[in-house]
Amino acid sequence: MRDHQAMPLSRPIALVAFSIVVVPTHASAHEDQCNVVAASVADAGFTDDVTVTCTDSHAILTSDTYPDHDLMTGIIGTNEQVPVPAEYAAPIILTPTLGTTPLTRDAALGVAVNGVPIYDYTGGGEMSEADLAHHQAQHDTLQTNQLDVCGGHAGRGDDYHYHAKPVCMIEQMENAADAAIIGWAFDGFPIYGDANPDGTAIAEGTLDVCNGQPDEVFGYRYHTSPGSPYIVQCLMGEVPDFDALPRVRPLSAATGGGTQPGRPPQGGVEGLVFTQNDDGSRSMDYTYEGEPYFIRYAPAKNEGCYSFTTQTVTNKGELMVGEFCR
């Protein structure tokens, strides 16, 4: 059992110019921590992609979840979903407190500094507390080739998110180094890379079941790791509004209802290429058992809506056209 502890704020963090909105009018620890969260985004160079606003209790990182790096390349076990921008507001607790029971959910556990949600490594639904102690090989999105070369993919809501170390984002970070914060968990604790912030290696067995360890500045911190669970797989901090944490709204047909469930290939896909055009249109092309398939979309007239043309394994190769909206 860990001691409950407030977050000290002594580790030097380089501050650059950025724009934040702080609701409190008095100086407080909340405001100080808001500045730390905002600095992590600004120092990484993502202020054009992520807006940080703060209340008395949370730093809110708002983005469209759509990163400016390669997407979908390298996926073999496709779920036949594509990345579509999605409005997202990630709440980061400003005064975190360690709990005694790890929290799990079948959705994001935090957010990267570029505004992309961070999930645990699995793709098989919410893990139980017992599941956390054992590698879920059959649900491991990395080992089953569901992830792209950047550590992410599009989920059931056609929303892009990470399930493993966000390597492409880290390559883009202006402050990329072991001391750089790469994201924030929803319980308010920071996420770092594979090494300690001082550059030393993390000894085997140091990280706990959630892939975290004590931190002298923040009280606790999470890490990515070369082996499973690769990234945050549960939250060790208390989250009072845990059930109210955000989820990306799935696409639904403009005429009502969502897409019909089918059976995606989940493996054996070859040559998957995701093309992004300046006019906002996107195309994911691939082959399966020698046959070509694709998913293509472009912004429709109505805001938040997209015109889709698809020919997928899920729909048995039938050509389908429709408009879908967030």
Side-chain angles (χ1 to χ4, degrees), residues 6 32 38 55 160 182 216 230 247 299:
D32 290 341
T55 68
Y160 189 82
I182 66 170
E216 62 182 9
Y230 314 118
R247 295 176 182 268

Side-chain angles (χ1 to χ4, degrees), residues 19-45:
S19 175
I20 62 173
V21 177
V22 183
V23 174
T25 57
H26 59 282
S28 65
H30 300 81
E31 185 173 347
D32 290 341
Q33 183 59 11
C34 174
N35 290 335
V36 171
V37 174
S40 69
V41 173
D43 291 347

Side-chain angles (χ1 to χ4, degrees), residues 105-168:
R105 69 192 298 248
D106 184 21
L109 295 170
V111 65
V113 290
N114 67 347
V116 174
I118 293 174
Y119 284 52
D120 67 44
Y121 74 96
T122 67
E126 182 175 348
M127 287 190 286
S128 67
E129 188 172 350
D131 290 336
L132 297 173
H134 305 282
H135 178 223
Q136 306 296 304
Q138 72 276 27
H139 300 306
D140 186 321
T141 53
L142 181 63
Q143 292 190 5
T144 53
N145 300 306
Q146 297 179 50
L147 303 184
D148 62 22
V149 295
C150 297
H153 72 172
R156 290 187 294 272
D158 290 292
D159 56 310
Y160 189 82
H161 53 254
Y162 300 121
H163 281 276
K165 182 178 179 179
V167 291
C168 297

Side-chain angles (χ1 to χ4, degrees), residues 91 103-108 126 186 235 238-247:
L103 302 174
T104 64
R105 69 192 298 248
D106 184 21
E126 182 175 348
F186 286 144
L235 299 180
E238 296 180 355
V239 184
D241 298 321
F242 187 69
D243 291 337
L245 288 174
R247 295 176 182 268

